[in-house]
Amino acid sequence: MKNSLSDNGAGSARARGLGFRKILLLLALLLPALQPAAQAADIPEMADSFRSDGKIYVVVAVVTVVLAGLLAFLISLDRKVSRLERELKE
Amino acid sequence: MKNNWWKGLAVVLLLYTGVAGFLLPVPRLHILNETIRNLYFHVPMWFGMTFILAASVYYSIRYLRTPTPQLDVLSHEAAKTGILMGLVGLATGSIWARFAWGAWWTNDPKLNGAAIAMLIYGAYLVLRSSFTDEQQRARISAIYNIFAFATAMPLFYILPRLTDSLHPGAGGNPAFAKYDLDDNMRLVFYPAVIGWTLLAFWLAQVASRIATLKLKVYEKQLV
């Protein structure tokens, strides 16, 4: 019995010489260890690396500048209309 | 300035949406991934459109009760702003659909319903431009506007729910119920809806004031 249960690398190939029971035992030990790995791959992908780089803040800054620019334009238009309204009243 | 507090609120809420909308955590969902953040930008377009079109109907009804050029201008500019928001909603939805469903457009009841509703409002603009007499134009387009709203709202919100649909909030799909459970999203979504709706009213107000000024200038020139 050279094959130890801790050698889980090429388990199925070496386990050929073992009995059915021992294969089951091997699987019982291996599968719970594999499950967390499968779950890790199952987590939906998000912009994690992008966020950890800190680069998302660049996008936020750009969006803020665009929004601020457009809103400033709207505010200045609003004021111009107010001035015209005042002038027309006089 | 005292009457303009809501414009300041719009600026604050929109800037907040632009920052918090990208930085606050969102639920991890397959396929959607980070595009779930579109909820803060695509959906408020339709909310804003609905509110501003309702305002347009309100002014149309008031026009029919007491016909003044001012009420006609308000209802027309509100409808135009609503149409703009609807078109932006269609465009943003199309981009989202490309990456969530794999196609720019699908023959989905929600999408086709929204497109037909936008065409109904397109006809409103065509109808308006086909009159030379101002009072006739104002009266008939006010009546059409009421019917357009009554036809468009079922196309947006009722008919898509009666059949199968890919779109959330249609065909038995949950609308926000699923995301609503996430308090982080609620923290941005509600301010976003209020902010974009206020922006729609702001745009309509400035457009109406310019149109009213134009009317006054023409009157002065005639005298």
Side-chain angles (χ1 to χ4, degrees), chain B residues 158-221:
Chain B
I158 300 172
L159 292 180
R161 285 174 204 270
L162 301 178
T163 50
D164 289 329
S165 171
L166 281 170
H167 195 286
N173 290 345
F176 311 113
K178 203 168 152 195
Y179 316 129
D180 253 0
L181 296 173
D182 194 294
D183 283 340
N184 284 323
M185 287 203 84
R186 231 186 262 166
L187 219 56
V188 184
F189 179 65
Y190 294 146
V193 165
I194 297 167
W196 289 109
T197 303
L198 286 176
L199 183 77
F201 276 82
W202 190 355
L203 288 171
Q205 194 227 36
V206 172
S208 303
R209 283 159 68 198
I210 291 170
T212 310
L213 276 178
K214 223 164 134 189
L215 279 180
K216 279 185 185 162
V217 169
Y218 287 160
E219 272 171 26
K220 281 202 172 174
Q221 280 170 345

Side-chain angles (χ1 to χ4, degrees), chain A:
Chain A
M1 295 298 281
K2 248 183 146 186
N3 295 326
S4 66
L5 290 174
S6 62
D7 183 11
N8 51 17
S12 64
R14 289 183 194 175
R16 222 169 269 159
L18 299 173
F20 183 62
R21 273 184 172 184
K22 288 193 175 162
I23 294 172
L24 274 184
L25 184 64
L26 190 73
L27 285 175
L29 286 172
L30 269 180
L31 287 179
L34 282 171
Q35 203 189 5
Q39 270 180 343
D42 204 38
I43 291 172
E45 231 177 281
M46 298 301 246
D48 290 324
S49 65
F50 193 55
R51 222 164 282 271
S52 66
D53 289 344
K55 296 258 168 64
I56 188 74
Y57 301 104
V58 181
V59 184
V60 174
V62 168
V63 170
T64 310
V65 168
V66 169
L67 253 180
L70 289 174
L71 289 172
F73 178 57
L74 183 57
I75 291 167
S76 85
L77 268 183
D78 198 316
R79 284 191 175 166
K80 276 177 194 165
V81 174
S82 298
R83 200 182 307 137
L84 271 178
E85 281 171 340
R86 252 182 283 124
E87 279 172 17
L88 208 70
K89 256 186 192 172
E90 284 160 9

Side-chain angles (χ1 to χ4, degrees), chain B residues 15-96:
Chain B
L15 289 175
Y16 167 75
T17 305
V19 175
F22 286 103
L23 297 183
L24 284 193
V26 290
R28 283 174 181 267
L29 299 173
H30 282 293
I31 301 168
L32 274 179
N33 309 92
E34 293 279 0
T35 70
I36 197 170
R37 293 179 193 277
N38 278 346
L39 194 76
Y40 308 142
F41 304 99
H42 163 73
V43 182
M45 290 302 123
W46 298 106
F47 273 84
M49 182 208 70
T50 304
F51 286 122
I52 198 81
L53 289 181
S56 175
V57 168
Y58 167 73
Y59 289 125
S60 283
I61 293 169
R62 275 186 61 192
Y63 175 84
L64 291 173
R65 293 172 73 92
T66 48
T68 64
Q70 174 68 21
L71 285 171
D72 179 50
V73 161
L74 282 169
S75 132
H76 178 213
E77 296 300 336
K80 277 204 291 189
T81 312
I83 291 165
L84 174 70
M85 296 206 85
L87 291 178
V88 172
L90 279 184
T92 52
S94 183
I95 296 168
W96 200 357

Side-chain angles (χ1 to χ4, degrees), chain B residues 129-142:
Chain B
S129 63
S130 62
F131 291 105
T132 47
D133 181 70
E134 285 103 10
Q135 285 187 6
Q136 201 180 22
R137 172 173 63 210
R139 195 174 62 247
I140 293 173
S141 53

